[in-house]
Amino acid sequence: MSGRYDHLDESDVRVRPSRKGSRPRTKDRPAHVDAVLGVVTAVDRGRYTVRVADRTVVAMRARELGRSRIVVGDRVGMVGDTSGRPDTLSRIVRVEERRTVLRRSADDSDTVERVIVANADQLVVVTALADPEPRERMVDRCLVAAYDAGLDPLLVLTKADLASPAAFLRHYAALDVPSVVTGTVPGEGGGAVDPAALDRVRAALLGRTSVLVGHSGVGKSTLVNALVPDAARSTGEVNAVTGRGRHTSTSAVALELAGGGWVVDTPGVRSFGLGHVDPASFVEHFDDLAAGTSGCPRGCSHDEPDCALDTWVEEGHAGPAGAARLESLRRLLRSRTGEDHG
């Protein structure tokens, strides 16, 4: 080579960059160790309202999260502007592992689950004692969902001024499900929730994240407005022809209680699909009966002639209330497979 190039080395060689740039592709994602943690309190058309300490932040999902769904109750990590100032937008880059998941399917034949709320502690089944009439089958299905999700169930019975709760409560006595009975007292706008009953509800929700579920028209949003006066959840009347309420709340929202804790109001439901629930795992939530399934034939539905639970109960292993508990368990299992959802 001529002496003209003798003084050159590789650092003098220019490499033409590719059209896509010379930066190497990588599947490694940033760790976002500085992400600010918050709790999703509402979801609206791709925008997430997130509570961070003493402020509220509006955020969007980062592209790197893909199609993973973010729901009310999720604990998320955010980057960007997390000040909460008007017209600012943060970015959700991480969803923390969920402690509990309340879910439902479209119907009983669909095993694809739809997550409703994450990280709740308690499922509050709100049902009216009259106007509309209580539907025990729907309540049963909500209890199945609660046990499956690992949530503590609570029954809140409204409109006790119109009907006695005694017969309804006897139906659930064997399940030991706690309950609170509420009614209304005369006042402007048709009356208000009885203050003493409201205090009992408030005590049951204190310090917990509770999800309220119930048919439209049972007084769920009225109860929420009484618990959180600035919630402004819309309420509706019961249709005189169908006996069912109008859907008033259109989306789930988490509201902070003044004494501590959160209440998640959900839209009124007409059915609760349980196609995702495995009967075998469901029985495990009944401690006094679960051990008796060891003698069951393979694939036992626990509601058939050869089920070992009958012998288990007859021998007294489930205690004095064993027979009633077993019948209640089977009623719940049947509610999962029946055609009538409510």
Side-chain angles (χ1 to χ4, degrees):
M1 185 177 289
S2 67
R4 190 169 105 179
Y5 301 104
D6 289 347
H7 64 285
L8 299 179
D9 58 27
E10 63 271 13
S11 63
D12 296 296
V13 178
R14 297 183 61 187
V15 178
R16 175 182 291 179
S18 69
R19 291 183 180 180
K20 296 183 179 180
S22 58
R23 185 175 181 178
R25 291 173 59 87
T26 177
K27 292 183 179 180
D28 294 334
R29 301 297 185 187
H32 296 302
V33 292
D34 58 341
V36 174
L37 290 179
V39 177
V40 177
T41 59
V43 180
D44 183 20
R45 291 170 293 184
R47 291 293 183 266
Y48 302 87
T49 303
V50 184
R51 182 64 179 270
V52 179
D54 58 348
R55 64 188 186 278
T56 298
V57 177
V58 178
M60 61 179 292
R61 175 213 305 268
R63 183 178 299 178
E64 63 200 68
L65 292 181
R67 292 180 174 272
S68 58
R69 192 180 177 202
I70 302 173
V71 301
V72 169
D74 268 327
R75 296 180 66 249
V76 297
M78 299 175 295
V79 298
D81 193 334
T82 60
S83 65
R85 291 189 296 265
D87 302 320
T88 59
L89 189 63
S90 181
R91 186 161 54 97
I92 297 176
V93 294
R94 186 171 68 245
V95 179
E96 302 293 312
E97 183 177 356
R98 292 165 174 165
R99 183 169 46 85
T100 63
V101 176
L102 177 63
R103 51 200 173 168
R104 61 186 288 195
S105 58
D107 54 54
D108 291 339
S109 63
D110 185 359
T111 57
V112 178
E113 63 188 45
R114 276 78 168 170
V115 177
I116 303 173
V117 177
N119 300 314
D121 305 304
Q122 183 170 233
L123 179 61
V124 181
V125 185
V126 184
T127 188
L129 292 166
D131 191 31
E133 293 297 316
R135 296 174 187 165
E136 294 173 348
R137 192 174 184 81
M138 178 64 186
V139 176
D140 289 349
R141 297 172 73 82
C142 289
L143 292 178
V144 171
Y147 291 127
D148 177 68
L151 304 183
D152 295 329
L154 171 68
L155 296 179
V156 172
L157 310 182
T158 64
K159 306 185 184 182
D161 47 306
L162 301 180
S164 170
F168 186 89
L169 289 175
R170 280 197 298 270
H171 193 64
Y172 293 95
L175 292 173
D176 295 325
V177 179
S179 62
V180 180
V181 179
T182 72
T184 58
V185 293
E188 295 183 8
V193 180
D194 175 47
L198 187 63
D199 286 342
R200 291 193 292 271
V201 174
R202 205 177 271 117
L205 306 181
L206 185 65
R208 314 194 78 189
T209 297
S210 303
V211 185
L212 271 63
V213 174
H215 279 300
S216 298
V218 299
K220 181 167 56 64
S221 293
T222 298
L223 184 64
V224 171
N225 287 335
L227 291 166
V228 188
D230 58 351
R233 299 297 275 177
S234 59
T235 59
E237 301 296 329
V238 175
N239 187 300
V241 176
T242 65
R244 296 187 175 187
R246 294 187 296 107
H247 290 280
T248 51
S249 304
T250 58
S251 60
V253 61
L255 303 163
E256 191 169 14
L257 297 170
W262 290 81
V263 59
V264 181
D265 188 20
T266 61
V269 295
R270 296 246 170 100
S271 65
F272 210 110
L274 299 172
H276 61 282
V277 176
D278 178 6
S281 62
F282 176 70
V283 178
E284 295 175 2
H285 297 287
F286 290 74
D287 295 339
D288 51 346
L289 298 173
T293 63
S294 60
C296 288
R298 187 171 183 176
C300 182
S301 67
H302 306 305
D303 190 18
E304 56 190 67
D306 294 331
C307 180
L309 286 176
D310 291 292
T311 303
W312 178 263
V313 168
E314 289 170 3
E315 293 176 350
H317 298 297
R325 290 270 293 169
L326 178 57
E327 177 52 35
S328 294
L329 166 65
R330 287 174 170 167
R331 189 185 76 234
L332 296 184
L333 288 172
R334 287 193 292 269
S335 77
R336 175 188 170 273
T337 56
E339 294 181 359
D340 178 14
H341 291 194

